[in-house]
Amino acid sequence: MKASFQHYILNFKNPSGTSRGVLKTKDTWIITIYSQGKTGIGECGMFRGLSIDDRPDFIATLEWTCKNIDKGLEFLLLELKAFPSVQFGLEMAFKALEAQHSFELFASNFTKGNASIPINGLIWMGDKAFMQKQIAEKIDAGFSCIKMKIGAIDFDTEVDLLKSIRKTFTSKDIELRIDANGAFNPNDASEKLKILSDLDLHSIEQPIKQGQIEEMTSLCETTPLPIALDEELIGVFDVTKKAELLQTIRPQYIILKPTLVGGYEGSDIWIDIAEQNNIGWWITSALESNIGLNAIAQYTFKKQNHLPQGLGTGSLFTNNFESPLFVNHGELHYNKNKSWNINL
């Protein structure tokens, strides 16, 4: 058994704004395993500035992983606890080796083309006109759930945008989720949550920066708007510490990005703890290429969570890999008759 990896840069069709800045490109690393005439492909989609494994020894770790690939997945996952994106890439690649069709990692009605996954339409930060244009496009495309990133422009302007949607569409027509990416100050977060709650929103992701456990606990206890933890989960490796975190903060939801939390195994642990504590959850991509998105989508369908998932990122890039994945009327589908085209 041998393995290799290759760096690949994904180019955004349009610069995409977040509270951390504007994204124009996204680095990713494709790992390929070779065994007995078969190949298995996975993606290590480390996210610069967000992933816990955004560290100087990331490339050296990929090199070590490839040199030790013959020691097997179980050994490698244990050794790579601090590198969740590499763990996930390996899970994908080993599953692809086992699969009859190399990209059908979890055979299901989804991969057979008989079922789809409801997803949210993602609205990127920008000026008011740009955000209004995106909102109109998502509604016209048939999305019944919209996720809007906030925190980059004036809060009052963002509230006005949300109000403009609610003037036309009730919560029965359009479910609205917002993602603050930690942009709120703990001192005025409660006041902002109250203002936002009047707009009949589904939830808000990560209102304040991660690591402020006492402040986040207080917010979740008193919030008039359901709170979903996202970044708060990154870098928590120990199962006991995962349980302590959720039992202390007691959020209404958690959001799982397999690339950031250790792939399938890491996500399964978070889901089990959440369900034991009556905490809701859903799964999202983290700007992977279609290789990673495919792996996340198939896993998500297997989990049978009927909330809209965050899996609509495949069309963001000009040079994504051609795949069977496509979005229609606010749902992610898999065209079993379409072939993959992986050109590195």
Side-chain angles (χ1 to χ4, degrees):
M1 183 178 289
K2 295 183 179 179
S4 65
F5 69 91
Q6 188 164 339
H7 181 216
Y8 191 75
I9 300 176
L10 293 158
N11 299 310
F12 281 85
K13 292 177 181 176
N14 299 297
S16 299
T18 74
S19 59
R20 297 184 191 89
V22 176
L23 302 174
K24 296 181 180 179
T25 61
K26 166 69 170 60
D27 293 290
T28 198
W29 289 263
I30 309 303
I31 188 166
T32 306
I33 303 176
Y34 312 87
S35 178
Q36 299 178 341
K38 293 186 69 177
T39 60
I41 296 177
E43 179 175 4
C44 307
M46 185 269 283
F47 197 133
R48 294 200 185 280
L50 181 60
S51 295
I52 196 69
D53 45 9
D54 180 12
R55 12 188 296 190
D57 58 346
F58 182 79
I59 300 301
T61 298
L62 284 174
E63 292 170 348
W64 177 89
T65 300
C66 290
K67 287 176 184 175
N68 290 276
I69 199 70
D70 59 342
K71 293 184 177 177
L73 181 61
E74 186 176 347
F75 168 84
L76 292 169
L77 292 181
L78 283 172
E79 292 295 313
L80 294 165
K81 277 189 176 179
F83 292 87
S85 68
V86 182
Q87 288 181 314
F88 190 32
L90 286 171
E91 284 182 322
M92 285 183 229
F94 273 94
K95 267 205 163 294
L97 274 181
E98 300 167 3
Q100 183 176 358
H101 304 288
S102 60
F103 286 98
E104 189 179 31
L105 309 183
F106 297 94
S108 68
N109 281 330
F110 175 68
T111 58
K112 290 178 173 60
N114 298 326
S116 56
I117 303 171
I119 61 174
N120 59 243
L122 183 58
I123 308 300
W124 292 94
M125 293 176 177
D127 62 32
K128 186 174 181 179
F130 174 63
M131 295 179 80
Q132 282 178 324
K133 179 175 179 290
Q134 292 179 82
I135 291 165
E137 288 172 349
K138 295 301 180 188
I139 291 171
D140 289 345
F143 284 88
S144 59
C145 177
I146 290 176
K147 171 182 166 179
M148 189 170 116
K149 288 185 173 288
I150 65 172
I153 59 177
D154 177 74
F155 178 71
D156 290 339
T157 301
E158 291 167 338
V159 170
D160 286 343
L161 279 169
L162 291 165
K163 284 181 177 177
S164 70
I165 301 174
R166 277 288 171 257
K167 283 180 182 176
T168 308
F169 301 97
T170 69
S171 58
K172 292 181 180 178
D173 301 319
I174 297 288
E175 179 179 285
L176 290 176
R177 300 172 176 174
I178 55 175
D179 183 2
N181 285 131
F184 294 172
N185 187 307
N187 295 328
D188 63 3
S190 291
E191 182 183 344
K192 289 183 175 179
L193 291 176
K194 175 62 176 71
I195 293 169
L196 292 166
S197 70
D198 291 337
L199 298 170
D200 205 4
L201 307 181
H202 174 269
S203 56
I204 180 170
E205 295 181 33
Q206 203 70 41
I208 61 174
K209 283 187 172 61
Q210 69 266 40
Q212 302 177 89
I213 304 301
E214 186 176 335
E215 292 86 349
M216 186 67 88
T217 301
S218 178
L219 280 179
C220 289
E221 186 177 8
T222 61
T223 183
L225 174 63
I227 290 174
L229 300 188
D230 182 356
E231 289 92 336
E232 204 76 59
L233 311 183
I234 298 171
V236 185
F237 303 124
D238 182 77
V239 176
T240 302
K241 292 197 177 297
K242 290 182 188 341
E244 286 176 357
L245 181 74
L246 295 192
Q247 288 164 4
T248 299
I249 297 179
R250 304 205 66 83
Q252 285 72 39
Y253 295 99
I254 61 171
I255 297 170
L256 299 159
K257 293 183 170 74
T259 291
L260 303 183
V261 300
Y264 302 135
E265 189 173 301
S267 298
D268 282 343
I269 293 169
W270 279 115
I271 289 170
D272 287 345
I273 296 169
E275 291 182 343
Q276 289 165 18
N277 289 278
N278 297 313
I279 295 168
W281 57 272
W282 67 88
I283 296 171
T284 82
S285 54
L287 301 180
E288 299 86 357
S289 76
N290 278 333
I291 295 171
L293 181 62
N294 173 65
I296 296 169
Q298 292 187 35
Y299 168 76
T300 300
F301 185 83
K302 174 191 168 190
K303 303 304 285 187
Q304 287 295 292
N305 179 316
H306 300 293
L307 292 174
Q309 309 293 306
L311 304 176
T313 56
S315 62
L316 294 175
F317 308 110
T318 61
N319 60 336
N320 208 343
F321 306 112
E322 288 187 32
S323 81
L325 298 170
F326 69 99
V327 175
N328 183 44
H329 208 70
E331 298 192 339
L332 185 67
H333 299 257
Y334 193 95
N335 181 356
K336 65 176 183 177
N337 297 316
K338 184 171 182 178
S339 300
W340 282 81
N341 184 8
I342 308 294
N343 289 317
L344 293 170

